Amino acid sequence: MLHSILLPMAIGFTVFISGMKLMELALHRLAGPYLQHILHRSTATPVHGLAIGTVTTAFLQSSTAVTVIAIGLVNAGLLTFPRTLGIILGSNIGTCLTTELIGLSLNKLSVPLLLLSLAGWLITVLLNELGIWPKARSLRLLETVRSSAVALGGFSLLLAGMAMMQAIGPAVQESSMFGWFLEKSTSSLWWGLAAGAVLTAIVHSSAAVIGIIMGFAAIGAMPLELGVAVVLGANIGTCATALLASFSGSKSGQYVAWSHTILNAGGALLFMPFLGELSAASGWFAHSPASQIAHAQTIFNILSSLIALPFCYLPAFRKLPV
């Protein structure tokens, strides 16, 4: 079990998380100087916040990063809690881009993309060392190209790590623990919800957990409805990071983290009775079981945010002084 499951899983997960963090840091470097200004100036209404939250999260590839930034802005007094409500709704939609990209089965492109990113990064280093681009505007362009190359390299590592983790699917399928889990889940899909929440809270990455489930679904190791239940649980578990980040901050920052948690937990509880319908709807335009899992995540997050959006206009929220 150590050599067939745990060791490949640990290596694949390390590569996956390293790629995700590398991509997130590079994209944050690209958008960082403008991000706080955009969030501060473009969230006058929940609809505006939803749009900005969706775009920024899709760009940064991390709903947790956007939520933590929002908490920081609220703690610093640069943003009020009511203006973060739309951002939170949008961050749940924007984060679906990662799983949708994984669902395209681009694993074979990981090596070419990594080589391309290394070539782009080396070119920018050589141009900088040779002093070919002396102008300030050219230097900014050079930094943009370099950060983009690093982000592409992070994405290639993400794909490579996902391929490693998905490769252990047959071994996991034969393990007694996985058999026990499937047996329990046949009596109640709530086991899948709980497993997704706990695993995501531990590893602090819903994308990693959902990616593994997509791999299991692709080889037929996990029933589709159980996979969707794990996805709903992963959306609950991803709130753990924001909650931890808010503990040492102001009460307003804690409100942001708890509203994020209530949205995800409430949405998961609302959709649990309709797992069959959600699975069927995601299959209408899916080309594989893996993409069907990704589409279920997207449909769930979009519908949850749209259902919650009218509540953000309630006077009780808009009049909060925090």
Side-chain angles (χ1 to χ4, degrees):
M1 183 175 177
L2 175 63
H3 297 289
S4 61
I5 297 179
L6 296 182
L7 189 59
M9 172 65 78
I11 295 174
F13 181 75
T14 301
V15 174
F16 179 91
I17 292 296
S18 299
M20 177 168 284
K21 291 302 178 183
L22 188 64
M23 183 171 59
E24 182 181 325
L25 289 172
L27 293 174
H28 197 285
R29 185 169 183 175
L30 283 171
Y34 317 101
L35 186 59
Q36 293 189 6
H37 177 74
I38 292 173
L39 292 178
H40 179 65
R41 296 292 299 272
S42 306
T43 55
T45 67
V47 169
H48 289 141
L50 184 144
I52 294 300
T54 300
V55 173
T56 53
T57 305
F59 186 81
L60 292 181
Q61 295 289 287
S62 173
S63 61
T64 300
V66 173
T67 304
V68 170
I69 290 172
I71 292 172
L73 291 174
V74 170
N75 287 336
L78 299 176
L79 204 63
T80 61
F81 164 65
R83 295 182 71 152
T84 66
L85 293 173
I87 297 174
I88 293 167
L89 300 183
S91 68
N92 272 20
I93 298 175
T95 193
C96 299
L97 180 61
T98 304
T99 49
E100 289 291 348
L101 289 174
I102 295 173
L104 294 176
S105 301
L106 301 175
N107 295 346
K108 294 180 180 179
L109 297 178
S110 59
V111 174
L113 289 178
L114 181 60
L115 294 176
L116 181 62
S117 67
L118 286 174
W121 182 80
L122 286 173
I123 290 173
T124 60
V125 170
L126 289 175
L127 290 175
N128 187 46
E129 290 296 327
L130 295 175
I132 297 176
W133 294 28
K135 295 183 180 179
R137 181 177 298 179
S138 298
L139 286 175
R140 286 197 297 269
L141 177 60
L142 197 65
E143 285 296 326
T144 300
V145 174
R146 181 180 299 174
S147 296
S148 300
V150 173
L152 183 62
F155 181 65
S156 66
L157 290 178
L158 183 151
L159 293 177
M162 186 57 58
M164 294 178 190
M165 289 190 290
Q166 291 178 353
I168 68 168
V172 172
Q173 191 175 6
E174 296 175 359
S175 68
S176 57
M177 183 176 294
F178 188 73
W180 173 85
F181 173 68
L182 288 181
E183 182 181 351
K184 288 291 184 181
S185 300
T186 55
S187 61
S188 175
L189 291 174
W190 290 93
W191 282 92
L193 182 83
V198 172
L199 286 174
T200 304
I202 292 173
V203 304
H204 294 283
S205 174
S206 60
V209 173
I210 295 172
I212 295 171
I213 298 305
M214 290 165 66
F216 290 165
I219 63 172
M222 179 175 288
L224 190 65
E225 289 190 14
L226 177 57
V228 175
V230 177
V231 167
L232 298 188
N235 280 272
I236 298 176
T238 194
C239 302
T241 306
L243 288 172
L244 289 173
S246 70
F247 282 153
S248 60
S250 65
K251 183 177 293 186
S252 303
Q254 293 174 14
Y255 285 166
V256 177
W258 278 110
S259 60
H260 183 222
T261 304
I262 291 171
L263 169 67
N264 284 6
L269 295 177
L270 178 65
F271 276 86
M272 273 300 290
F274 306 102
L275 284 179
E277 290 78 5
L278 180 58
S279 301
S282 63
W284 292 342
F285 43 94
H287 65 274
S288 67
S291 65
Q292 195 167 349
I293 295 287
H295 294 340
Q297 155 87 340
T298 301
I299 293 171
F300 163 72
N301 279 332
I302 291 176
L303 290 181
S304 294
S305 293
L306 293 180
I307 290 171
L309 181 61
F311 293 96
C312 298
Y313 285 90
L314 292 176
F317 286 122
R318 307 308 297 169
K319 292 180 180 179
L320 281 175
V322 293

